[in-house]
Amino acid sequence: MPRLDESLLTHLPPFDGLSRTDIRRILDGAVSRRFEIGADIFREGEPADRFFLLLDGYIRVVRSTEAGEQITVLHIPAGQLFGIARAIGRETYPGRAVAAAECIVLCWPTGLWDDFTRQYPGFSLSTARTVGVRLGEIQSRMQELATLHVEARIATALLRLITQTGRPTEAGVEIDFPLTRQDLSEMTGTTLHTVSRLLSAWQREGVVQSQHRRITVLDRARLEACAQHRG
Amino acid sequence: MPRLDESLLTHLPPFDGLSRTDIRRILDGAVSRRFEIGADIFREGEPADRFFLLLDGYIRVVRSTEAGEQITVLHIPAGQLFGIARAIGRETYPGRAVAAAECIVLCWPTGLWDDFTRQYPGFSLSTARTVGVRLGEIQSRMQELATLHVEARIATALLRLITQTGRPTEAGVEIDFPLTRQDLSEMTGTTLHTVSRLLSAWQREGVVQSQHRRITVLDRARLEACAQHRG
DNA sequence: CTCAATCTTTGAGCAAGCGCAAAGTCCGAC
DNA sequence: GTCGGACTTTGCGCTTGCTCAAAGATTGAG
């Protein structure tokens, strides 16, 4: 494995402000791995013996019901720690982490968590913040599920996606990884049929453009208007 | 104010295992307060300058949408810390805490948080666990909202309530504080009308018994069956 | 006791969105 | 190229649960 470059970490919240030697030491404890689209990074219920930093890509964390339905509880954009069950005192991962795009991650054994916490002063606060942000996000999504109609929920989901991973094109903003109707339905608590119908309608109106597993938002303002509609 | 008794804390997770003098010191930094039913303990967006331990009662944490709808994101049973926005790096409370029953709380200024964390070894891990449990709960509720029908969601909510605060009576298990149809609808993302209709139906079938703001579950097994029904 | 406020019940009509089904399309493997 | 699998589209019928409306019940204040 190639030696990892220190600049990978110097600007990320949990590590910024650390000395070169500290960062060198942190990197030397890490393993870098690549995951193809659709690959599982960890599974629900597995012992949480590693934690990760997402260098590049996009991850979704899903939970399954007993009936086999999946719902996406969380999205993780590049630059964030994840799989930090340890930080909240859990022994196992509470969900399955799937690579939504091709992902490059750094991976440490959980044992190092306590070392990092002890040795690097800002680390603990920084990860607490990460947890806090996630808690807030989940609460927002819960609120959306409880109060918004399907149309507004899907609009919100698309807006979130283009904000986090959008790539500008000549026509609009494209979501930077393949996304099925099924995926969107799992994010919004609906069915792939309803998502398909809605995207078709939006396409007819020129709000979005979509081919096979590719979605481009053409008219962001219109989506925002949809997202406002209360149910 | 009467001097607080040390036995209040000796068996609660964040403090168990501490010496009498430590507990004495912790109690001396606390203020004890009482809140009537319906009173706000803190409000959404207020600076998080205090944190709390719920000695007795029951609290619900609600968030409001711009349209004024409220949804309950969390319930806190007696014995738990709450208002610990500080532990997750937040400056303000992310929701409103309402006394669902009459509540007795201990209250510390946020400044002491760091002291506790530094001085009492288990405190930090214990609060991290609390955060972890809450995150898990919220994810479960999100999953329910996304996948279950209203009937199953209300059944689940009732079961949770009688588990956390149920008081056995001759007929069944009564929820130990006043609870309106509106409250239940805010917990389950539906309307008070639907809740009312459903409770009426259940009452006809002998599953629950309810008068004004009082609900008793007579047939727990039947509710559990309802909660299983997928939608 | 009386009144007002809050909470609850119930009806009727309606629309959102689901389930089912079938056909069409795209893509990668070979 | 061709084949199979995964993904998408669309129609139709129907159920769930919402909205609107109005009346009844319970409680607490004065």
Side-chain angles (χ1 to χ4, degrees):
Chain A
M1 159 155 356
R3 196 172 155 87
L4 298 161
D5 193 85
E6 288 140 30
S7 65
L8 287 174
L9 300 189
T10 41
H11 296 301
L12 295 178
F15 304 111
D16 61 355
L18 291 182
S19 71
R20 275 184 95 73
T21 47
D22 282 343
I23 289 194
R24 188 71 260 156
R25 191 140 31 115
I26 288 171
L27 278 174
D28 287 343
V31 177
S32 165
R33 296 186 59 188
R34 217 167 122 274
F35 291 91
E36 299 297 328
I37 289 179
D40 285 357
I41 298 168
F42 52 78
R43 295 203 172 81
E44 189 167 347
E46 277 182 1
D49 52 6
R50 293 157 297 163
F51 64 97
F52 306 84
L53 176 70
L54 183 61
L55 289 176
D56 189 50
Y58 200 61
I59 284 170
R60 61 170 196 274
V61 179
V62 302
R63 292 184 127 207
S64 309
T65 65
E66 305 118 36
E69 293 154 305
Q70 311 236 328
I71 75 139
T72 300
V73 290
L74 198 57
H75 278 267
I76 295 162
Q80 290 198 4
L81 289 173
F82 68 101
I84 51 176
R86 179 53 168 271
I88 51 173
R90 294 195 51 121
E91 298 292 321
T92 60
Y93 298 115
R96 185 165 66 99
V98 185
E102 185 173 316
C103 288
I104 317 246
V105 306
L106 291 181
C107 172
W108 292 270
T110 297
L112 287 183
W113 182 269
D114 295 333
D115 295 347
F116 286 10
T117 305
R118 221 177 302 113
Q119 291 165 29
Y120 312 119
F123 187 76
S124 180
L125 177 59
S126 171
T127 56
R129 284 221 181 89
T130 301
V131 172
V133 168
R134 270 179 214 171
L135 202 75
E137 268 174 27
I138 292 188
Q139 287 181 357
S140 298
R141 298 218 19 231
M142 199 169 109
Q143 200 173 19
E144 284 162 22
L145 273 173
T147 62
L148 297 182
H149 274 198
V150 167
E151 183 182 28
R153 301 209 299 267
I154 297 177
T156 307
L158 286 180
L159 289 169
R160 216 192 311 266
L161 286 168
I162 62 171
T163 305
Q164 289 184 342
T165 73
R167 190 168 52 79
T169 66
E170 67 277 12
V173 185
E174 184 180 355
I175 293 169
D176 208 13
F177 55 85
L179 187 72
T180 66
R181 310 296 188 247
Q182 175 80 33
D183 291 337
L184 264 174
S185 74
E186 286 173 2
M187 294 170 56
T188 51
T190 179
T191 64
L192 78 163
H193 307 282
T194 301
V195 173
S196 177
R197 271 180 255 272
L198 209 45
L199 286 181
S200 297
W202 280 339
Q203 177 139 345
R204 251 173 271 130
E205 298 168 26
V207 180
V208 306
Q209 170 78 38
S210 84
Q211 300 94 41
H212 187 72
R213 313 219 287 172
R214 287 276 153 202
I215 298 177
T216 305
V217 173
L218 308 178
D219 187 346
R220 186 182 186 129
R222 281 285 293 283
L223 271 193
E224 275 159 2
C226 283
Q228 296 297 328
H229 276 308
R230 348 230 83 256
Chain B
M1 164 155 358
R3 195 170 154 92
L4 298 161
D5 192 85
E6 288 141 29
S7 65
L8 288 173
L9 300 189
T10 42
H11 296 300
L12 295 177
F15 304 110
D16 61 354
L18 291 182
S19 70
R20 276 185 92 75
T21 46
D22 282 343
I23 289 194
R24 187 71 260 157
R25 191 140 32 116
I26 288 170
L27 278 174
D28 286 344
V31 176
S32 165
R33 297 186 58 188
R34 217 167 123 275
F35 291 91
E36 299 298 328
I37 289 180
D40 285 357
I41 297 166
F42 53 77
R43 295 201 172 82
E44 189 167 347
E46 276 182 0
D49 52 6
R50 293 156 297 164
F51 65 97
F52 305 85
L53 175 70
L54 182 60
L55 289 177
D56 190 51
Y58 201 61
I59 284 170
R60 62 172 195 275
V61 179
V62 301
R63 290 184 129 208
S64 309
T65 65
E66 306 116 36
E69 293 153 305
Q70 312 237 327
I71 75 138
T72 301
V73 290
L74 197 60
H75 279 265
I76 295 161
Q80 291 199 2
L81 289 174
F82 67 101
I84 53 177
R86 179 53 168 270
I88 51 173
R90 294 196 50 121
E91 299 292 321
T92 59
Y93 297 115
R96 186 164 65 100
V98 185
E102 185 172 318
C103 288
I104 317 244
V105 305
L106 290 181
C107 171
W108 293 270
T110 296
L112 287 184
W113 183 268
D114 294 332
D115 295 347
F116 286 10
T117 305
R118 222 177 301 114
Q119 291 167 30
Y120 311 118
F123 187 77
S124 180
L125 177 59
S126 170
T127 55
R129 284 223 181 87
T130 302
V131 173
V133 168
R134 268 176 215 172
L135 202 77
E137 268 174 27
I138 292 188
Q139 287 181 357
S140 298
R141 299 219 19 231
M142 200 169 109
Q143 202 173 16
E144 285 162 22
L145 272 175
T147 62
L148 298 182
H149 275 197
V150 167
E151 183 181 28
R153 301 210 299 267
I154 296 176
T156 307
L158 285 180
L159 288 169
R160 214 191 313 265
L161 286 168
I162 63 173
T163 305
Q164 290 184 343
T165 73
R167 191 167 52 79
T169 65
E170 66 275 15
V173 185
E174 184 181 355
I175 293 170
D176 208 13
F177 54 85
L179 187 72
T180 66
R181 311 297 187 246
Q182 173 80 31
D183 292 337
L184 265 173
S185 74
E186 286 172 3
M187 294 169 57
T188 51
T190 179
T191 64
L192 78 163
H193 306 282
T194 301
V195 173
S196 178
R197 270 182 255 271
L198 208 45
L199 285 181
S200 297
W202 279 340
Q203 176 139 346
R204 252 173 269 130
E205 297 168 27
V207 180
V208 304
Q209 170 79 36
S210 84
Q211 300 94 39
H212 187 74
R213 313 217 289 172
R214 287 277 154 200
I215 299 178
T216 304
V217 173
L218 308 178
D219 187 346
R220 185 180 187 133
R222 281 285 295 283
L223 271 193
E224 275 158 2
C226 284
Q228 297 297 330
H229 277 309
R230 349 229 81 255

